[in-house]
């Protein structure tokens, strides 16, 4: 990484090298690509980009320890478009990881060192010799329990067809939704009259690909105004997943809008030119169940006809 690449607001870059012949220890190293944040000079992801770098398989995590209005820092996550294609695929920024506490100073220097293994990223932060380690993981819903096998007697009937394997997403086979996240994006390039059924389907498909839920978990609730304001809801299985989805939606409508614009254009919204967050993501969860009624008072009499509640002690 090179955290002071071109002198523009301390924006940096990361250079990726691969061998000319995959698997050959004697082949030459050649620069394959240069990674930058989706908005290279943005104060959220641009400052100090490249301060730290970690790679695992088809994922690269890049620290930008000086980014943000309060210099809290950030980490950008890049993925290969074609897993395993180190010489032909393209690296694309898929997410921006931010400190969850959001306290000025405590999370300062967030991203000055990173480590990654599979779907787990660890980020170093802290200030004034008070350090902290932040651990982020890609969430996969637990698999549903399998039915017990039938008894051996009488002679078993033909086995039922096996259920399809669970998908690591918020599909109908996942646990039932207990929370939801709502937000509103303003889409420049479309009007209320031109944003029809096909455009709505493309919008849902693009967000579903970035957030990794099932499209059936998302619904558009309202489309209004001259520059289309699209209000929508994402149903999720757990409240902590809703908090993560909310932070992603806020980033897609502000600091990480280039990723969402590109995905919307790829899904069919070719005329879109900008995306703005007009209503912050809001997490909704059902109220807790009412408390159980108290148990009945035991009778202290041997005769049911004269059963009375116990007298209080003086």
């Amino acid at each position: 990484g090179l955290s002071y690449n071109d002198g523009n607001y301390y924006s940096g870059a990361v250079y990726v090298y691969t061998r000319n012949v995959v698997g050959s220890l004697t082949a030459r190293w050649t620069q394959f690509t240069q990674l930058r944040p989706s908005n290279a000079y943005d104060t959220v992801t641009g400052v100090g980009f490249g301060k730290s770098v970690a790679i695992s398989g088809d994922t690269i995590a890049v620290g930008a320890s000086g980014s943000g209005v309060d210099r809290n820092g950030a980490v950008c996550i890049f993925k290969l478009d074609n897993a395993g294609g180190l010489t032909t695929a393209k690296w694309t920024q898929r997410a921006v990881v931010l400190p969850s506490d959001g306290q000025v100073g405590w999370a300062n220097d967030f991203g000055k060192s990173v480590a990654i293994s599979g779907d787990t990223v660890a980020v170093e932060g802290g200030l004034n010799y008070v350090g902290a380690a932040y651990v982020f993981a890609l969430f996969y819903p637990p698999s549903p329990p399998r039915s017990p096998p039938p008894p051996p007697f009488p002679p078993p009937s033909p086995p039922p067809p096996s259920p399809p394997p669970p998908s690591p997403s918020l599909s109908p086979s996942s646990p039932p939704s207990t929370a939801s996240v709502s937000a509103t994006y303003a889409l420049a390039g479309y009007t209320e009259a031109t944003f029809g059924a096909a455009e709505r389907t493309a919008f849902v498909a693009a967000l579903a690909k970035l957030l990794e839920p099932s499209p059936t978990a998302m619904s558009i609730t309202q489309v209004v105004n001259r520059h289309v304001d699209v209000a929508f809801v994402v149903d999720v299985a757990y409240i902590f997943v809703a908090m993560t989805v909310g932070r992603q939606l806020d980033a897609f409508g502000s600091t990480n809008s280039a990723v969402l614009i590109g995905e919307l254009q790829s899904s069919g919204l070719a005329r879109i030119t900008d995306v703005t967050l007009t209503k912050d993501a809001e997490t909704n969860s059902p109220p807790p169940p009412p408390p159980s009624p108290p148990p009945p008072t035991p009778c202290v009499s041997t005769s049911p006809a004269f059963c009375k509640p116990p007298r209080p002690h003086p």
Side-chain angles (χ1 to χ4, degrees):
L2 181 62
S3 60
Y4 302 97
N5 181 54
D6 53 14
N8 289 310
Y9 207 79
Y10 301 104
S11 173
V14 169
Y15 297 86
V16 180
Y17 290 80
T18 59
R19 292 187 184 273
N20 291 341
V21 180
V22 178
S24 173
L25 298 180
T26 60
R28 295 182 56 187
W29 290 94
T30 303
Q31 181 179 327
F32 173 59
T33 189
Q34 179 188 103
L35 304 182
R36 287 180 177 238
S38 59
N39 191 346
Y41 309 129
D42 195 322
T43 59
V44 173
T45 58
V47 181
F49 180 85
K51 182 74 173 180
S52 58
V53 181
I55 184 171
S56 176
D58 300 320
T59 306
I60 293 179
V62 182
S65 60
S67 63
V69 177
D70 297 315
R71 297 289 193 263
N72 280 355
V75 173
C76 300
I77 307 297
F78 294 83
K79 295 280 290 184
L80 270 179
D81 291 343
N82 179 19
L86 295 180
T87 59
T88 59
K90 176 184 177 183
W91 290 93
T92 302
Q93 180 177 322
R94 290 297 184 185
V96 176
V97 177
L98 302 174
S100 58
D101 44 39
Q103 298 181 20
V104 177
W106 169 257
N108 199 15
D109 264 350
F110 178 87
K112 67 181 179 181
S113 64
V114 296
I116 183 172
S117 177
D119 295 329
T120 304
V121 178
V123 184
E124 179 186 0
L127 181 66
N128 295 332
Y129 305 102
V130 181
Y134 299 79
V135 180
F136 300 84
L138 184 62
F139 171 74
Y140 290 85
S143 302
R146 292 184 175 271
S147 302
F153 296 101
S157 58
S162 300
S167 172
S169 64
L170 304 178
S171 63
S173 61
S174 301
S177 300
T178 61
S180 63
V181 185
S182 60
T184 301
Y185 287 153
L187 308 183
Y190 286 89
T191 66
E192 185 175 352
T194 61
F195 199 78
E199 287 75 15
R200 296 183 184 210
T201 301
F203 178 86
V204 169
L207 272 181
K209 184 176 181 181
L210 292 175
L211 298 176
E212 299 186 1
S214 167
T216 59
M218 301 182 57
S219 59
I220 295 177
T221 57
Q222 192 176 25
V223 177
V224 295
N225 295 337
R226 184 171 60 87
H227 292 299
V228 174
D229 285 352
V230 181
F232 57 94
V233 174
V234 183
D235 294 329
V236 296
Y238 304 101
I239 187 65
F240 63 88
V241 179
M243 296 172 65
T244 300
V245 171
R247 287 193 293 268
Q248 289 179 300
L249 292 176
D250 286 341
F252 288 149
S254 54
T255 62
N256 208 14
S257 61
V259 174
L260 178 56
I261 291 173
E263 199 61 54
L264 290 172
Q265 291 173 342
S266 299
S267 297
L269 299 179
R271 291 187 293 175
I272 192 166
T273 59
D274 192 18
V275 175
T276 306
L277 185 68
T278 56
K279 178 185 177 184
D280 293 344
E282 180 179 348
T283 300
N284 305 296
S285 59
S292 301
T297 304
C299 182
V300 297
S301 174
T302 57
S303 174
F306 298 97
C307 184
K308 298 180 180 180
R311 296 181 179 179
H313 293 287

